[in-house]
Amino acid sequence: MARGKLRIYLGAAPGVGKTYAMLSEGHRRVERGTDLVVGFVEDHGRPRTEVMLHGLEAVPRRELTYRDATFTEMDVDAVLARRPAVALVDELAHTNVPGSRNAKRWQDVEELLRAGIDVISAVNIQHLESLGDVVESITGVRQRETVPDEVVRRADQIELVDMSPQALRRRMAHGNIYAPDKVNAALSNYFRPGNLTALRELALLWTADRVDEYLQQYRSEHRIRSTWQARERIVVGLTGGPEGRTLIRRASRMAAKGSGSEVLAVYIARSDGLTSASPKELAVQRTLVEDLGGTFHHVIGEDVPSALLEFARGVNATQIVLGSSRRKTWQYVFGPGVGATVARESGPDLDVHIVTHSEVAKGRGLPLARGARLGRSRILAGWLTGVGGPALLTLLLTALHDGPGLANDVLLFLFLTVLAALLGGLLPALASAAVGSMLLNFYFTPPKHTLTVQDPKNLVAIVIFFAVAVAVASVVDLAARRTHQAARLRAESEILSYLAGSVLRGETSLEALLERVRETFGMESVALLERESDTAPWTCAGSAAATPAAPTADGEPAATREGPATSQEGPATSQEGAPAASAAAPGARVPLRPEDADVDMPVGDHLALALNGRVLPAEDRRVLAAFAAQAAVVLDRQRLMGEAEQARELAEGNRIRTALLAAVSHDLRTPLAGIKAAVTSLRSDDVAWSDEDEAELLAGIEDGADRLDHLVGNLLDMSRLQTGTVTPLIREIDLDEVVPMALGGVPEGSVTLDVPEELPMVAVDPGLLERSVANIVENAVKYSPPGQPVLVAASALGTRVEVRVADRGPGVPDSAKDRIFEPFQRYGDVPRGAGVGLGLAVARGFAEAMGGTLTAEDTPGGGMTMVLTLSTAAGRPPAVPDLPAQVTS
């Protein structure tokens, strides 16, 4: 019996329309005459879903009793007995009630498929087993009901049901998904815009991966080698030369012309590890391609054109970008070159672009073989074995009356030759072969004790011995060198990988990087030297040492301390001859000029890496060059960060001063003018004021003083935040002790409070929290229309507690949501009330000082919601939000 086919509707969250789409497909098939039944579909009280069930045959459900409650589940036996062509089964990840035939509904579906029944089902992305941890980190909710990814991947069809977060929240607010009493809890917790956006991205990416899998599987099954141009994938072939940057930028411009295009830069190295590429240049090109949104790949291949084409076809590339050859004219006698070969063999499915550059025909270096350094002791042991071993063996064999025979003698001498090759390399082995041949001829080949050979067979044996010894020694020596090279290249690759990764992530300071250089090469001290011009003196931008720094120009030792250097904030500066930063113990000598160092590595025209301790071999300079290049990058980044921070502080200070002057000149003068006018009127002798008039004038004075106190308080709070003098006193407290106190400054009846008593305690500064909530509520009341009270609600989500202040005012567009938290900002720059635009800035500053956050969201149905997120008290169990059952079922 043929297995049934499975079709799955995949959604990012409940309510996107999976069940509706599944029922629509059911009606379409019934209209075509397909025998279709509803195995299990739950409408959850949604009117539109309930209407879609009309006209479809439903198999009666099975009733089960569990813990004195009655539940209904899909009756698998009834569906199998009915044997329809297609069955609709909703909620694939559902867990069946204990006592059911199977523990999971997807297992029920498997039975139907094995029986040859086609199944149409639905599932949300958060129920996939592999995404459980990811979804929990996003939403704070652990999905208890999951389905194995493999079950969904085996589906014959997967259709994504998509909806924007804004549209889904509107659908939620209109009551189309959950009951009205569940809407606020859902919108405040699981259905927040950030959660829905992240879940939507997960669903889109997972579906895109499935599309790629289907495509690759189809191409493999049908043996399709040609490229299908589903989307542009541009492969850039790099040689490690300076022209690579030009190629990468050209490919990036080509990719920018089409939506969804990818750039893949590939460097192909030979398997023997011999390369003429510059590690420094490759590191720069890797950084460039990643900055432009592409990916960098390192591929091993003996034949560069074949490896490049194989890689391009493997990733389903549509275009290859290569540079014009750097070879000189006479070098073309060795072949047409990589570009011409790739263009000839690419076929009609791959476009090859040859890009000109400034390095054309300037020549390229030939790869240099690097031998292994075996060490003096090992080489000495090889020579002793190769020369002394045959002599000792000869003494031993001549002492025997009946020797083992010429054939065995030859094998014994051959063993010594191989052993000499293993220990000392090729030269000791060749010497061993020569000495062994002479000793075999002189002592063991008739006539003995002469260098002549009587029997031609013995001459052939000696010649063959020498040839075999030389061949075996060459092979053993080559294997030893390749093993040493492989180990060295592996160590280099690990160092460079760590270096590139840490620097790109911004985890390494200049001093820490120099300390890494010192440890890697076992040097006493390392310094990065710099000069402004060719005639200027060298200065030290940073150093690391195992021994202390040299005296400064004034004769005093530079600052020292134990351990590796730590980073400094801002640009590194120094006086001539004195290190700007060092890590030194007593006795260290930090080089202050390149010529004073044992090893120096120039970096451009005005930077040099200087090392003291020992002279490095030539093969170590390749890794040292990469370290030097990265040190220059880190130095530039530190200086740019310092300059950017200084510029930001200056700009912020200027803006604050300008805004403060504007506030003082306008907003503070308004209440002062009212107070002045009221006092002048009361002091006037020309008018006899009634008691009511005096009371009104005094009330105006009091109101003006309150406004001044509020404005000055906000100005002082902002000043404290700007100078970093806010020191919160964190303690555990219940929200219902603080939030009601923050509502004292708003009109009665303008706020609706919903703070459950069962909320966990929060770790906050009560004073700062009260001031922060008061500013948020005052701002919401100010913009809320008459008769529309502001809602202040609190809820728990994982290890966080959220206070949401929702109004029904005009709202704020997304582009201005961050700007309203800046000091002296009022939306639209329209003065309203007595504020100077500091309330929300102070509220966010206090929230962040307590380790919380303050963000703005749209209120469903119109308005704006301020979300204040706080951490629960340490040691308190995280609260489980009261979410609708559909979210986790």
Side-chain angles (χ1 to χ4, degrees), residues 36 42 181 196 225:
L36 180 143
E42 183 63 61
D181 60 331
L196 297 178
R225 296 286 296 165

Coordinates of all heavy atoms in Angstrom, one line a residue, residues 36 42 181 196 225:
L36 N -13.1 13.7 1.4 CA -12.3 14.4 2.5 C -13.1 14.4 3.8 O -14.4 14.7 3.7 CB -11.9 15.8 2.1 CG -11.1 16.6 3.0 CD1 -10.1 17.5 2.3 CD2 -12.1 17.6 3.8
E42 N -10.1 22.3 15.8 CA -10.7 23.1 16.9 C -10.8 24.5 16.5 O -9.8 25.1 16.0 CB -9.7 23.0 18.1 CG -10.2 23.7 19.3 CD -11.5 23.0 19.9 OE1 -11.5 21.8 20.2 OE2 -12.6 23.8 19.9
D181 N -11.1 38.8 27.4 CA -10.4 38.9 28.7 C -8.9 38.4 28.6 O -8.1 38.5 29.5 CB -11.1 38.0 29.8 CG -11.2 36.6 29.3 OD1 -11.3 36.3 28.1 OD2 -11.3 35.7 30.2
L196 N 6.9 38.7 17.8 CA 6.3 38.3 16.6 C 7.3 38.5 15.4 O 7.3 37.6 14.5 CB 5.0 39.1 16.3 CG 3.9 38.9 17.3 CD1 2.7 39.8 17.0 CD2 3.5 37.4 17.4
R225 N 23.9 19.1 -13.3 CA 25.1 19.8 -13.0 C 25.1 21.3 -13.4 O 25.9 22.0 -12.9 CB 26.3 19.1 -13.7 CG 26.5 17.7 -13.3 CD 27.1 17.6 -11.9 NE 28.4 18.2 -11.9 CZ 29.0 18.6 -10.7 NH1 28.4 18.4 -9.6 NH2 30.3 19.1 -10.8

